[in-house]
Amino acid sequence: MTPQLQTILALVVVAAAAFWLVRRALAKRKHPGCGSDCACPTSDLKAKLKS
């Protein structure tokens, strides 16, 4: 494998990782609150606790 090809492949991997991280950060910003496995009670449980 040539050094030029290794450089290109490394840049592609870094760009893909950066894109994935930015996409996740923006998705969390659009939908704040409980994500998965945050130990927050569900809305059904919240309704039971209020009554």
Side-chain angles (χ1 to χ4, degrees):
M1 191 179 300
T2 66
Q4 291 84 9
L5 182 59
Q6 286 180 345
T7 301
I8 292 170
L9 290 176
L11 289 173
V12 168
V13 169
V14 169
F19 174 76
W20 180 74
L21 288 172
V22 168
R23 193 175 124 224
R24 281 183 45 107
L26 292 176
K28 292 218 182 235
R29 185 175 297 166
K30 289 181 183 177
H31 303 290
C34 287
S36 61
D37 196 28
C38 68
C40 295
T42 63
S43 57
D44 294 336
L45 184 58
K46 287 179 184 177
K48 289 180 185 178
L49 291 173
K50 287 183 181 180
S51 56

